[in-house]
Amino acid sequence: MVTGEDISLLVKGGEGYNVEFKVSIPSKVRELTEEVCAFANAAGGVLLIGIDDQNILRGANLDNSKKSAIQHSISEITPTLHCSISQVEVEEKNIIAIEVPSGANKPYVYSGAIYVRIGPNTQKLTTAEQMRDFFQQSDRIYFDEGACKDFNIAKEINQDLFREFKALSRLGSDVSDDQIFRNLKLFGGNDCFKNGAVLFFGKEPEKYFEKAIVRCVAFKGLDKRFIIDDKSFGGPLLLQFRNALQWIFGKLNVRYDIEGQGSQPRKEIWEIPETVLKEAIINSLSHRDYYDKGATTTIELFDDRIEIANPGGLVSAIPPSEFGKRSHSRNPLIFGLFARMHLVEQIGSGIIRIKDITRESNLPEPRFNTEGMFSIVFYRPIQLAESDKKEGTMGNSVEEVIVELVKANPRIRLKELISKTQYTRRKVEYHISKLNQSGIMERVGVGTNGFWKLNIHTSGDNKGIEKEIEIIEQLILDGIRKNPKVTIDQLAKITATTRKTIEIQINKMKNKKMVERSGSTRSGFWKIPDDKK
């Protein structure tokens, strides 16, 4: 049974994969039961009532009627689940503790739904298809929950890394390692370390999981004919992440932005933003299929792109239509440990954030493959030389030529664009992506029925394009002045453009300090700095 000392330790570490706080018993106790069901479908956990969002002890009282209501609600979980409910005094405050075991008869269902634990959050699976797909491989889905019987905890833990983990997770140095292991649910059967704990804290996890490494390969050119560097990184997953990131930064171009004057540090600006690379690598380590013993996590660097891939496609619990909107990990224990070190941001927002940051950096949108080997492709910026200009009677650039060709024939095919611009497929695709991101051009429909649509009616030269953008910006500003709560869709109607065009222009206007957003997406409003009108 959990003790006051255990609770103090859990409070220091904050909420996580196996810990949830509530400030009080909710009026609808089913909210507690949903959390209990999620813990049972994962590695177990403890629900602490009487602690607020700032990890401050507030206290809560558990009388017989409330305890009975909670027990009755938990009894509605099927199959039957036995939990311990107790009231523990901590720092002169009463804290209610509901201890939930990892269920031996998964899946556990409450009110017709399955609840699962994703990092520090609970997620509900509602459709029969989601439930069937998720638990079809219930014995495989949680590789990190399996016990690694041969791992020697006393000798094989990377102590330096574990100390760093405790510090970043705000776990006290005066607490025994064994107590931390137990509170974090790192033990499997017979007090063996779980696979996920070995991968995260073991000195050499590849001794037990041969392919649990990251292989980084750099190629000369655009294909895989000529290898110029090939390195493999093993060890704890955190070190794999750091070594792989360092390897990438040793290959990419960087420029420096001097902010202010004097002793202020210069800002490094990488050709591919550091944030998206970190997100992609951690995702690959957290979500890969470690049961696949024939493949490793790979990072491949080409002159024009970086490809990061890991074994295992999209988790079956997430339909393709929900990709980027929902999150589910094959290895929730590993994901939860990364989250405790604050290396994982908002749950389920990683793909959206990656797309937003690359767009804000004026890079083509990354390409995702969700079948077989999951992969993400980041396109490196192409530096155009003078020879990259399409010399003609007007001296147009590649993008201007593409716009003119599309204006003349909206159904022009990619092969024709390549032929008429006399550039490689990769370069034409790159410029089409740039036109797409700028809101100038988009593809409507697919195959032979598809066509190109110009969202800004260009005159064939940059000055015309710039003038159209100025007009759209002015219309946006006028719309905001009339209604500070105007929506993106309303602005699209006002400007007679698309939602995507408005989103792109708003982001650019934010960067130029032309507009600001205050408050949330739903209840917030727009402001025009220093607007005297």
Side-chain angles (χ1 to χ4, degrees):
M1 184 172 291
V2 67
T3 66
E5 186 179 6
D6 291 331
I7 292 176
S8 295
L9 175 62
L10 292 170
V11 170
K12 286 181 181 179
E15 293 180 305
Y17 171 54
N18 42 45
V19 183
E20 180 77 20
F21 298 157
K22 299 287 184 184
V23 69
S24 61
I25 297 176
S27 57
K28 296 181 180 179
V29 294
R30 65 169 293 117
E31 295 177 19
L32 301 179
T33 311
E34 290 169 0
E35 304 287 355
V36 169
C37 185
F39 281 137
N41 279 323
V46 59
L47 180 59
L48 299 176
I49 304 170
I51 303 170
D52 67 15
D53 292 338
Q54 283 72 47
N55 299 355
I56 297 174
L57 298 174
R58 298 298 183 185
N61 291 316
L62 180 67
D63 56 34
N64 289 334
S65 63
K66 291 179 180 178
K67 184 173 183 179
S68 177
I70 295 171
Q71 288 173 328
H72 176 73
S73 183
I74 291 175
S75 70
E76 295 178 358
I77 295 175
T78 57
T80 302
L81 181 69
H82 298 286
C83 301
S84 169
I85 304 175
S86 59
Q87 184 168 285
V88 184
E89 184 175 331
V90 185
E91 298 178 12
E92 299 182 349
K93 302 284 187 181
N94 287 328
I95 303 298
I96 302 169
I98 304 176
E99 297 176 71
V100 186
S102 177
N105 299 305
K106 299 179 180 72
Y108 288 86
V109 180
Y110 176 62
S111 294
I114 293 173
Y115 295 85
V116 294
R117 197 73 177 164
I118 307 298
N121 294 78
T122 289
Q123 180 173 301
K124 179 182 180 182
L125 306 181
T126 54
T127 69
E129 182 180 3
Q130 290 173 4
M131 296 177 193
R132 182 176 61 252
D133 289 348
F134 182 80
F135 288 101
Q136 177 182 351
Q137 44 182 326
S138 59
D139 291 336
R140 300 182 70 248
I141 199 75
Y142 294 134
F143 171 88
D144 60 349
E145 291 293 339
C148 187
K149 298 178 181 179
D150 296 329
F151 183 79
N152 188 316
I153 297 174
K155 296 180 179 179
E156 296 188 78
I157 286 181
N158 185 315
Q159 292 294 342
D160 291 337
L161 174 60
F162 187 62
R163 279 192 290 271
E164 182 181 1
F165 172 83
K166 289 192 291 185
L168 293 177
S169 301
R170 299 187 295 274
L171 298 173
S173 58
D174 56 335
V175 182
S176 72
D177 290 352
D178 184 76
Q179 187 175 1
I180 292 175
F181 296 155
R182 294 187 185 282
N183 286 335
L184 294 179
K185 309 294 183 184
L186 301 186
F187 287 125
N190 298 321
D191 281 352
C192 297
F193 242 25
K194 293 178 179 178
N195 292 336
V198 174
L199 286 165
F200 208 88
F201 295 117
K203 293 178 181 177
E204 298 178 87
E206 60 271 25
K207 283 173 53 179
Y208 303 97
F209 318 110
E210 183 181 355
K211 295 296 183 178
I213 60 174
V214 176
R215 185 185 179 194
C216 299
V217 187
F219 299 94
K220 180 177 177 60
L222 307 182
D223 54 35
K224 297 184 179 183
R225 285 182 294 173
F226 304 107
I227 296 176
I228 57 176
D229 193 17
D230 187 349
K231 285 186 172 60
S232 294
F233 300 108
L237 294 185
L238 182 63
L239 295 188
Q240 291 186 31
F241 158 69
R242 288 174 174 169
N243 288 332
L245 193 65
Q246 185 178 9
W247 181 88
I248 292 174
F249 286 155
K251 310 291 184 185
L252 295 184
N253 297 317
V254 61
R255 60 186 176 87
Y256 298 95
D257 183 18
I258 308 299
E259 297 183 341
Q261 299 178 353
S263 60
Q264 291 192 8
R266 61 183 183 178
K267 181 180 179 182
E268 294 180 336
I269 302 175
W270 296 93
E271 58 175 288
I272 296 178
E274 180 179 0
T275 300
V276 300
L277 291 172
K278 287 181 175 179
E279 186 86 35
I281 296 172
I282 288 179
N283 279 346
S284 69
L285 296 173
S286 298
H287 302 315
R288 68 162 283 179
D289 184 356
Y290 286 97
Y291 279 105
D292 187 339
K293 298 181 179 179
T296 65
T297 300
T298 59
I299 299 175
E300 297 177 327
L301 179 74
F302 301 85
D303 287 355
D304 65 338
R305 67 193 187 279
I306 294 177
E307 298 184 8
I308 300 175
N310 58 270
L314 192 63
V315 176
S316 59
I318 302 178
S321 61
E322 294 293 305
F323 173 65
K325 302 175 184 177
R326 290 172 47 199
S327 175
H328 185 82
S329 175
R330 282 187 174 85
N331 307 288
L333 175 59
I334 291 173
F335 189 81
L337 292 172
F338 273 122
R340 281 195 171 277
M341 298 187 76
H342 310 288
L343 293 172
V344 177
E345 299 292 337
Q346 295 166 302
I347 304 301
S349 65
I351 300 301
I352 296 174
R353 187 164 54 256
I354 286 173
K355 289 181 178 180
D356 287 345
I357 294 174
T358 51
R359 182 172 61 247
E360 291 167 4
S361 301
N362 294 318
L363 291 172
E365 185 171 295
R367 187 179 79 241
F368 298 90
N369 174 56
T370 60
E371 297 181 4
M373 290 281 287
F374 181 93
S375 66
I376 176 171
V377 179
F378 295 109
Y379 292 105
R380 303 175 67 180
I382 295 176
Q383 304 298 325
L384 296 179
E386 285 302 314
S387 60
D388 287 334
K389 297 289 184 179
K390 177 65 180 179
E391 298 298 341
T393 56
M394 299 178 62
N396 289 341
S397 71
V398 180
E399 288 171 18
E400 291 173 297
V401 172
I402 290 173
V403 167
E404 288 299 316
L405 291 171
V406 167
K407 196 190 312 186
N409 177 18
R411 295 189 180 276
I412 190 169
R413 303 183 69 178
L414 180 61
K415 287 184 178 180
E416 293 180 73
L417 288 173
I418 293 170
S419 173
K420 292 182 181 293
T421 57
Q422 299 178 17
Y423 281 102
T424 64
R425 180 187 183 94
R426 171 69 188 96
K427 189 164 288 187
V428 171
E429 287 179 337
Y430 174 83
H431 286 290
I432 287 175
S433 176
K434 296 287 285 184
L435 287 165
N436 181 270
Q437 287 192 12
S438 66
I440 295 173
M441 192 172 87
E442 65 179 306
R443 184 71 177 174
V444 178
V446 295
T448 56
N449 295 323
F451 61 93
W452 301 102
K453 177 184 175 184
L454 293 175
N455 293 323
I456 297 177
H457 302 289
T458 65
S459 60
D461 63 300
N462 281 336
K463 290 183 179 179
I465 293 174
E466 291 171 0
K467 183 63 177 176
E468 292 285 351
I469 292 175
E470 288 177 9
I471 292 172
I472 289 176
E473 288 180 344
Q474 190 57 52
L475 289 172
I476 290 173
L477 292 173
D478 290 342
I480 290 174
R481 290 190 184 104
K482 292 178 181 178
N483 177 16
K485 291 190 175 183
V486 65
T487 66
I488 296 295
D489 289 330
Q490 289 170 337
L491 287 173
K493 289 182 180 180
I494 292 171
T495 58
T497 58
T498 65
R499 177 184 178 88
K500 185 172 183 178
T501 298
I502 296 302
E503 288 175 341
I504 291 169
Q505 289 306 125
I506 284 286
N507 280 331
K508 290 182 177 179
M509 292 170 74
K510 285 181 181 177
N511 292 335
K512 292 189 288 186
K513 309 298 184 185
M514 296 174 67
V515 296
E516 293 178 357
R517 182 71 181 178
S518 294
S520 65
T521 303
R522 291 187 178 182
S523 60
F525 59 92
W526 298 102
K527 293 194 301 184
I528 303 174
D530 302 323
D531 193 358
K532 299 179 181 179
K533 296 185 180 180

